[in-house]
Amino acid sequence: MPEEQMATEAPEEGNRPPARPLDPVDRSILRMLQLDGRASIRSVAERVHVSRANAYARINRLVEDGVIRGFTARVDHERAGQGASAYITLKIVQNSWRAVREKLQALPGAAHIALVSGDFDVLLLVHTADNRALRELVLTRIQAMPEVLSTRTLLVFEETDLEPEP
């Protein structure tokens, strides 16, 4: 937020206060920031009809409560030189989630990691320069992890980021 300095990091998982209910103004602020994370405090305040001090305090509270986890840019991965994207499903050794998550977070191009239920245990989204780099990532990095029992790679042919509802 260019106008005033905001808290930039959400608190650690164990240190977060209990979730507070969001009112309609909080929800409007969240929608605005999802559409434009660079919106100034002044423009947020004007659009949701509160004072700048109120908007500033609400945004800081949303950050401190962990509702807002950060401010980022949406990237066109292909234009950024990451022409191959894939979802990789992993079956892992029971009770190895934390170790696997730590290793997956360190992988180049890892964009999203989820522990899920169903036919596999982990869903990983990766972006790589090309299919060769994707192949190397899967075969030499992921499948080499002793906790990984099997993988399945689903190539992404096209993707669309959904905008929040107005």
Side-chain angles (χ1 to χ4, degrees), residues 29 55 72 75 80 96 105 120 128 131 147:
I29 289 171
T72 65
V75 175
S96 65
Q105 287 172 328
F120 49 88
T128 61
N131 284 344
E147 302 89 352

Side-chain angles (χ1 to χ4, degrees), residues 139-157:
L139 296 180
T140 65
R141 302 284 298 269
I142 297 172
Q143 290 182 353
M145 295 177 190
E147 302 89 352
V148 174
L149 300 172
S150 66
T151 65
R152 177 173 286 164
T153 302
L154 307 165
L155 292 178
V156 174
F157 296 125

Side-chain angles (χ1 to χ4, degrees), residues 35-113:
L35 289 169
D36 181 7
R38 294 174 52 179
S40 69
I41 294 291
R42 177 179 301 174
S43 68
V44 170
E46 287 172 359
R47 287 186 186 161
V48 299
H49 309 292
V50 297
S51 70
R52 285 178 28 194
N54 188 331
Y56 181 80
R58 283 174 177 267
I59 293 169
N60 271 340
R61 180 180 48 81
L62 291 167
V63 170
E64 290 168 6
D65 286 355
V67 175
I68 294 175
R69 297 184 305 182
F71 299 89
T72 65
R74 289 192 310 258
V75 175
D76 182 321
H77 295 285
E78 194 169 346
R79 292 185 61 90
Q82 298 172 314
S85 294
Y87 286 96
I88 303 167
T89 66
L90 295 82
K91 287 186 182 181
I92 61 173
V93 172
Q94 190 173 1
N95 296 323
S96 65
W97 163 240
R98 285 179 181 82
V100 169
R101 179 181 56 196
E102 195 171 299
K103 291 176 182 179
L104 294 176
Q105 287 172 328
L107 291 176
H112 184 84
I113 304 165

